[in-house]
Amino acid sequence: MLTKPCLLLFACPGDKGDTVVYWRGEARAARKDDPVVKLYGALDTAIAASHKAANVLPRPQSRVMRLIAFSLMELGFYLATGRAEYLDTATALYKRALKKAYSTAPEEPLRSWIACASPECSAVDEARVWIRWVERRATSLEGTEVVVKLLNQLSNLAFEVMRTLPHIEYRHRPVV
């Protein structure tokens, strides 16, 4: 049995560019170009990219990226329902990921830009970029300050994972 029987009738919701979106516990009709719909689209992509990165990484980096993905999912539940327990869970997952990342962080401080030098590092970078994109989308909506802060922390955490993977350090030297 199909999850969406409407597929057989060519009549699924959203066929005309509209949909129903859940925001802070309320269902409302929206166009596909609505800022909330765009936020959820970016969030879906960030979650998928984080899982993709987790699938190609060794432990403990894979676990960090999986926890980031789950934290993003909980943030989505929070945005849809407005229920604080989802935000609390998202934050707790972030803290677990942070603890794992801290245990593998390089000793030396970063003094340059980095460019990925492996498919694994690039997968993490892709997830990081999408998390930043979600952050930008969330910033455009009122009442999302706490979400924006956590998204910023999650993208920074993904960057820390990148530092543990093969990369090239790029140091800009000014021309004099």
Side-chain angles (χ1 to χ4, degrees), residues 67-68 70-76 78 84-96 150 154:
L67 288 166
I68 287 173
F70 291 147
S71 180
L72 292 168
M73 291 170 72
E74 293 289 331
L75 273 179
Y78 171 69
E85 64 258 29
Y86 292 120
L87 180 60
D88 293 343
T89 302
T91 302
L93 289 164
Y94 160 73
K95 289 178 180 178
R96 285 177 51 198
L150 184 53
L154 289 166

Side-chain angles (χ1 to χ4, degrees), residues 69-135:
F70 291 147
S71 180
L72 292 168
M73 291 170 72
E74 293 289 331
L75 273 179
F77 299 150
Y78 171 69
L79 291 170
T81 66
R83 293 172 58 182
E85 64 258 29
Y86 292 120
L87 180 60
D88 293 343
T89 302
T91 302
L93 289 164
Y94 160 73
K95 289 178 180 178
R96 285 177 51 198
L98 178 61
K99 185 177 178 182
K100 289 200 174 295
Y102 184 79
S103 69
T104 62
E107 293 289 323
E108 66 282 348
L110 184 64
R111 301 190 193 289
S112 64
W113 289 91
I114 69 170
C116 288
S118 71
E120 295 81 9
C121 181
S122 294
V124 175
D125 196 22
E126 181 180 1
R128 181 194 63 80
V129 168
W130 275 108
I131 297 166
R132 285 274 193 228
W133 189 245
V134 178
E135 179 186 355

